[in-house]
Amino acid sequence: MSARPKQNGSGRDKTFVAETTDGGRTFHFVSWIVPLSDPHRAVMPAVARLKDGTIVAALRRRIPGDDKTPCWVDCYGSKDNGRTWTFLSRVGETGTGNGNPPALVALRDGRLACAYGDRSRVKLFARLSADGGKSWAEEIVLRDDFQPDKYGDKDFGYPRLVQNSKGELVTLYYWATKELPQQQIAATIWEPENHR
């Protein structure tokens, strides 16, 4: 989950782990994924669990107050059920302004897939990792025909990602085109087997 903790003095949004041991009746704080001393925004986690039990979290990152430096997605891992976290990698850039949150899924073949939008390049991307999020293959362009509405709104993305029964990846996101200028929910279905 994401919060704006007061104790770090900066008001920077951060992501934390909460745990329930009574079926969801109560929750207790476990850890911060990114240390409170980190000066950058780290929110809107997408989480997957690997076959070995490792939890991997992809986070939306931004330098607060800086609209010129591209935002990005970072990946962190925990081998102790979220008690402690280690930085794994920088997945990709999500453009200037406010960036875009990631989607993350563990594939049946053991790889990870991460999807994210880049508002500067105006494209929706995905990347695959064969080593638990430590490194990522080349970017895959999922969609590149976005057209801002008549007001010039470039907001798009906010993907969700799932592997269907055929092994395909279904990426859901919101989008606008010349033919359908109102932002709408759209999907791209693609085969991770074609990308190694």
Side-chain angles (χ1 to χ4, degrees), residues 53-192:
T54 300
I55 301 172
V56 178
L59 303 174
R60 180 182 192 174
R61 302 282 273 150
R62 179 185 186 204
I63 300 173
D66 184 344
D67 288 335
K68 295 181 180 177
T69 302
C71 302
W72 68 99
V73 172
D74 275 343
C75 212
Y76 287 79
S78 174
K79 293 186 175 295
D80 56 7
N81 243 10
R83 269 70 189 160
T84 59
W85 293 87
T86 302
F87 173 78
L88 297 175
S89 63
R90 184 169 175 152
V91 182
E93 292 188 355
T94 59
T96 56
N98 200 24
N100 215 263
L104 186 71
V105 67
L107 306 184
R108 289 192 287 273
D109 66 9
R111 291 182 294 167
L112 283 170
C114 185
Y116 52 92
D118 184 324
R119 290 182 179 164
S120 295
R121 293 181 285 171
V122 197
K123 295 179 182 179
L124 188 73
F125 293 98
R127 294 184 88 178
L128 296 165
S129 173
D131 58 8
K134 294 174 189 162
S135 65
W136 297 86
E138 293 297 315
E139 285 182 317
I140 302 160
V141 177
L142 297 181
R143 192 89 187 252
D144 64 359
D145 63 340
F146 181 82
Q147 294 289 321
D149 68 16
K150 64 182 178 180
Y151 303 107
D153 186 353
K154 283 190 173 182
D155 200 14
F156 67 86
Y158 295 80
R160 296 293 178 263
L161 194 55
V162 66
Q163 189 170 29
N164 68 19
S165 60
K166 297 178 183 178
E168 301 164 323
L169 284 172
V170 180
T171 309
L172 296 170
Y173 47 90
Y174 81 96
W175 201 256
T177 62
K178 184 176 180 181
E179 296 76 25
L180 294 169
Q182 302 82 10
Q183 289 165 322
Q184 80 245 212
I185 302 298
T188 297
I189 299 174
W190 53 287
E191 296 183 8

Side-chain angles (χ1 to χ4, degrees), residues 8-51:
N8 71 345
S10 66
R12 304 297 181 232
D13 300 336
K14 293 288 191 270
T15 298
F16 67 95
V17 177
E19 180 181 60
T20 180
T21 56
D22 58 10
R25 289 186 198 74
T26 62
F27 288 82
H28 64 271
F29 175 86
V30 174
S31 65
W32 296 103
I33 292 179
V34 175
L36 293 182
S37 58
D38 182 296
H40 308 310
R41 186 180 192 214
V43 294
M44 301 178 77
V47 181
R49 188 182 288 272
L50 304 180
K51 291 178 182 177

